[in-house]
């Protein structure tokens, strides 16, 4: 089970560029309540201004890995908050 989640996250990271149009529409859409947009922005800002590292960045690959995991977590939460119509449009269901 854990290994499946790990590979799912790796796939998600490798295809991140596909989520840029989704994010643009998420933040510009009138379908998405302002509260949900605000939560996503707050999560991103908290991580940007307080980048707590579980693994120090001087360990190169491992140090970057925790940053990628946290960024992936934030993006997944944003997708979960999106309305079903937006998820279906970008095939994220």
């Amino acid at each position: 089970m854990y290994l499946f989640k790990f590979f799912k996250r790796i796939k998600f990271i490798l295809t991140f560029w596909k989520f840029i149009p989704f994010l643009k529409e998420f933040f510009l859409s009138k379908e998405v309540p302002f509260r949900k947009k605000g939560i996503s922005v707050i999560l991103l800002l908290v991580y940007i201004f307080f980048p707590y590292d579980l693994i120090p960045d001087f360990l190169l690959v491992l140090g970057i890995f925790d940053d990628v995991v946290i960024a992936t977590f934030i993006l997944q939460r944003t997708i979960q908050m999106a309305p079903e119509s937006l998820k279906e449009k970008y095939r994220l269901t």
Side-chain angles (χ1 to χ4, degrees), residues 34-50:
F34 182 76
R35 178 181 57 83
K36 290 182 178 182
K37 292 176 189 178
I39 291 170
S40 294
V41 169
I42 289 170
L43 286 173
L44 288 170
L45 290 176
V46 166
Y47 181 66
I48 289 169
F49 289 113
F50 304 108

Side-chain angles (χ1 to χ4, degrees), residues 28-77:
L28 296 177
S29 174
K30 294 183 191 274
E31 270 187 85
V32 180
F34 182 76
R35 178 181 57 83
K36 290 182 178 182
K37 292 176 189 178
I39 291 170
S40 294
V41 169
I42 289 170
L43 286 173
L44 288 170
L45 290 176
V46 166
Y47 181 66
I48 289 169
F49 289 113
F50 304 108
Y52 179 73
D53 284 336
L54 299 173
I55 303 170
D57 286 339
F58 66 82
L59 294 175
L60 295 180
V61 175
L62 293 176
I64 294 171
F65 183 73
D66 72 329
D67 294 331
V68 170
V69 169
I70 292 171
T72 302
F73 173 80
I74 292 170
L75 187 55
Q76 286 176 336
R77 296 300 156 250

Side-chain angles (χ1 to χ4, degrees), residues 5-13 69 72-73 76:
K5 283 186 177 184
F6 175 76
F7 285 118
K8 188 175 178 183
R9 283 201 177 174
I10 295 296
K11 179 185 173 198
F12 181 78
I13 292 165
V69 169
T72 302
F73 173 80
Q76 286 176 336

